[in-house]
Amino acid sequence: MADLFHVKFSAERIEAAVAAREFAIAEDIAAALASDRDRCAALVRVAAQANSLGVWFSAADAIRSGVSVEKAREAVMSEAANKDSCDD
């Protein structure tokens, strides 16, 4: 079991530590944001594809709920296939 000690640091030292941590993870944050922007753009394209297939798909709902592009495509294609089989 570890003993915990509370160390008091000056506001300047705390600010410097926070800035150093932020700098250390800045690239990771930028990469994660870029990846999510790409996911959102792809989901908007899936919604356009769904519309052209006569299938309803909400990109906004998919983005908010964290749906992957692959799952969205599968759902749209499945819905389109079911729609086609019902139309026969």
Side-chain angles (χ1 to χ4, degrees):
M1 182 165 341
D3 290 328
L4 298 176
F5 296 94
H6 295 280
V7 180
K8 301 287 182 188
F9 291 108
S10 67
E12 294 82 21
R13 185 113 187 241
I14 292 170
E15 188 176 315
V18 168
R21 279 189 229 122
E22 287 175 354
F23 178 76
I25 63 171
E27 287 183 20
D28 295 330
I29 292 170
L33 289 172
S35 175
D36 200 51
R37 282 191 294 271
D38 291 345
R39 182 184 72 87
C40 293
L43 288 170
V44 169
R45 288 190 298 273
V46 169
Q49 181 183 29
N51 187 51
S52 71
L53 295 170
V55 174
W56 170 251
F57 176 78
S58 172
D61 289 345
I63 290 167
R64 274 193 291 275
S65 62
V67 171
S68 72
V69 175
E70 294 78 21
K71 292 284 186 193
R73 282 192 184 115
E74 288 173 13
V76 166
M77 298 313 281
S78 175
E79 186 68 27
N82 287 339
K83 181 180 177 285
D84 286 344
S85 67
C86 290
D87 290 343
D88 291 338

